[in-house]
Amino acid sequence: MILDAVYGHTSDSFPYSYLYKQLDYRENPFMGSFAKDYFGESTDYNRKFTQDFFFTVNYHWLDTYHVDGFRYDCVPNYWDGATGNGYANLVFNTYQTVKQKKDAGGHWQKFFNDDSINLIQCAEQLEGPREILQATYTNCTWQNETLGAAKQVAHGNRGDLANLGFQFGLDGYPTEITNNDDKIAKTALQYIENHDHSRFVYNFGTITRDNELLQEGNRDLWYKVQPYLIGILTAKGIPMLWQGQEFGENYYLPEQGFGRVMLFRPVRWDNFYDPIGNSVITLVRKLIKLRREQPQFREGNHFFYNNYDRYHSKNVLLFSRQHANKFSLVALNFGDSATSVPFWFPIAGNYQEELHGQDNLINVPSLVEYWVTIPSNYGRIWTVTISN
């Protein structure tokens, strides 16, 4: 279980804000301006009491409720650098406290695997996701770069297919960092939807209502989301499916203003049962099963075939995943018609198509031009098992 930790901002009903205002005390030991001061009232990490308070909160959840880690909300609110008093200090002290529990026994043992510590500390640091991995004890981060590239492609900017391809591979993100002799694996989340943005199908067409806040994405265009789903669930990193995404939820969310939080947007479970929802959930289940059963999609090498003339100009994006004796080519077609493109497979053999078991490639030669066809608004995943 991962706890969503909101440690950088509060409201005026938070006790340390409310009480000191009611008492008309000028000096608040907890609240105050710090870092970016987004959203409501800020907590002041320059104060030792604030630092100790949130560390104690973390320890309480780890020791009493045995959580696996934390997803830290809106890190810019308490990010004052890699050696600062805010976020970096909190995740460092939390890590070191867990590290000291190696001989404690009990539930603490779940964090230890050989020389690694399996504490999850995930930052929502959208302003510097690479920096937060490089410079702190964070082991994963949210990042909007894949989502941003995907939106550009959805809006018809095929030149951004290269950017999307690099983002699927988390280009420039570290995979392991050693800090103070502590070796920490690093990665980032991959998503095209979350609580801060409209559902992805909204990018392809809308259903207009009397009130702007009530408009929705056109679910009839759900099929256009398919190559993006295939991409994030076979890409490098941690794929995230936002609630209801797996059966085609289509809410609109404004980019700013109170309309982001004032309108009730419940998951509409009936979407699960209609033809659109059934189609989306079928694809998602196949992809989750594939990722779970084949390690090249979880920990394998990622290679993006960056060629505009050969691929991107034809609305096609290709990347491969390889681990141990498995090699898979992921071919995505973002266009409205089936497309054939050439590829030089690095490994000869019989390639199984993973999504439907159709269009298998038999006796593929290595390093020779070989044409493959990818259906419109969809993809193909071809896998070969390398003989020992």
Side-chain angles (χ1 to χ4, degrees):
M1 179 175 67
I2 302 172
L3 183 73
D4 193 10
V6 185
Y7 292 167
H9 59 281
T10 70
S11 71
D12 56 9
S13 62
F14 181 64
Y16 281 103
S17 173
Y18 177 81
L19 178 63
Y20 279 80
K21 285 179 180 177
Q22 292 299 310
L23 295 175
D24 199 26
Y25 283 1
R26 295 182 179 180
E27 189 68 18
N28 189 314
F30 195 94
M31 310 297 297
S33 180
F34 188 85
K36 291 296 180 72
D37 293 339
Y38 295 148
F39 311 116
E41 298 191 17
S42 179
T43 52
D44 184 2
Y45 280 80
N46 286 320
R47 300 178 183 273
K48 183 65 174 175
F49 177 67
T50 306
Q51 299 173 33
D52 291 344
F53 179 90
F54 286 118
F55 168 76
T56 303
V57 170
N58 272 9
Y59 186 85
H60 177 72
W61 281 101
L62 290 165
D63 187 45
T64 303
Y65 296 100
H66 308 168
V67 299
D68 299 302
F70 306 92
R71 179 265 187 191
Y72 297 100
D73 183 74
C74 194
V75 168
N77 268 34
Y78 51 120
W79 172 250
D80 59 335
T83 59
N85 294 324
Y87 175 82
N89 184 51
L90 175 63
V91 295
F92 171 79
N93 287 329
T94 301
Y95 181 97
Q96 294 301 331
T97 297
V98 171
K99 182 180 177 181
Q100 293 166 10
K101 297 291 185 178
K102 186 171 184 179
D103 298 322
H107 68 274
W108 293 104
Q109 290 308 301
K110 71 178 181 179
F111 292 112
F112 298 94
N113 180 17
D114 297 325
D115 295 329
S116 63
I117 295 177
N118 301 320
L119 170 67
I120 298 170
Q121 298 203 87
C122 187
E124 188 197 23
Q125 169 52 312
L126 305 179
E127 297 176 0
R130 293 172 179 82
E131 177 189 17
I132 206 81
L133 292 182
Q134 289 278 3
T136 75
Y137 275 67
T138 302
N139 60 352
C140 62
T141 183
W142 286 44
Q143 52 87 19
N144 274 352
E145 295 172 337
T146 302
L147 168 61
K151 287 177 67 174
Q152 289 298 313
V153 173
H155 294 161
N157 301 319
R158 298 315 186 201
D160 281 277
L161 276 169
N163 188 20
L164 182 58
F166 284 119
Q167 289 305 132
F168 280 152
L170 293 178
D171 184 54
Y173 284 82
T175 57
E176 185 178 271
I177 295 291
T178 300
N179 285 332
N180 303 315
D181 296 325
D182 295 314
K183 186 180 295 185
I184 306 173
K186 307 275 184 168
T187 192
L189 269 70
Q190 297 278 28
Y191 50 78
I192 55 173
E193 294 183 11
N194 63 41
H195 63 290
D196 283 328
H197 301 277
S198 297
R199 302 300 183 141
F200 200 73
V201 72
Y202 183 84
N203 292 287
F204 300 109
T206 62
I207 300 173
T208 304
R209 309 295 189 192
D210 293 339
N211 188 302
E212 178 189 4
L213 293 178
L214 299 178
Q215 62 183 322
E216 297 179 323
N218 184 355
R219 288 182 82 235
D220 289 340
L221 300 174
W222 70 272
Y223 58 90
K224 288 183 174 288
V225 180
Q226 292 179 117
Y228 302 88
L229 279 172
I230 297 169
I232 65 167
L233 284 163
T234 56
K236 193 173 179 180
I238 305 169
M240 182 180 77
L241 292 171
W242 178 237
Q243 55 190 30
Q245 179 181 356
E246 67 272 32
F247 43 83
E249 192 57 87
N250 64 329
Y251 283 118
Y252 162 73
L253 188 69
E255 290 296 318
Q256 56 188 356
F258 284 109
R260 294 172 58 80
V261 296
M262 294 182 66
L263 185 67
F264 186 47
R265 298 179 177 88
V267 175
R268 291 174 286 201
W269 293 98
D270 53 319
N271 286 346
F272 182 93
Y273 300 98
D274 69 14
I276 292 173
N278 186 260
S279 296
V280 180
I281 197 72
T282 297
L283 175 60
V284 169
R285 283 173 170 169
K286 285 180 180 178
L287 292 166
I288 290 175
K289 184 174 185 290
L290 181 65
R291 189 178 184 96
R292 183 176 65 245
E293 294 180 351
Q294 302 214 30
Q296 70 269 31
F297 298 110
R298 301 191 307 273
E299 54 185 319
N301 295 325
H302 179 283
F303 188 86
F304 167 49
Y305 300 93
N306 182 19
N307 191 304
Y308 179 82
D309 292 334
R310 189 179 297 156
Y311 303 129
H312 309 158
S313 64
K314 298 176 175 62
N315 301 312
V316 168
L317 187 154
L318 301 182
F319 63 88
S320 62
R321 304 300 309 272
Q322 185 170 5
H323 179 74
N325 66 337
K326 294 282 189 178
F327 173 90
S328 293
L329 176 69
V330 180
L332 307 175
N333 183 355
F334 298 88
D336 292 327
S337 59
T339 302
S340 296
V341 296
F343 185 70
W344 288 255
F345 284 90
I347 301 165
N350 297 324
Y351 281 75
Q352 172 75 26
E353 202 288 306
E354 303 283 8
L355 293 176
H356 299 282
Q358 302 173 359
D359 297 331
N360 296 328
L361 308 178
I362 308 301
N363 294 326
V364 174
S366 64
L367 304 177
V368 175
E369 183 179 84
Y370 191 98
W371 286 76
V372 295
T373 301
I374 309 105
S376 64
N377 295 297
Y378 203 61
R380 286 284 182 260
I381 303 171
W382 285 291
T383 298
V384 66
T385 301
I386 305 167
S387 301
N388 293 328

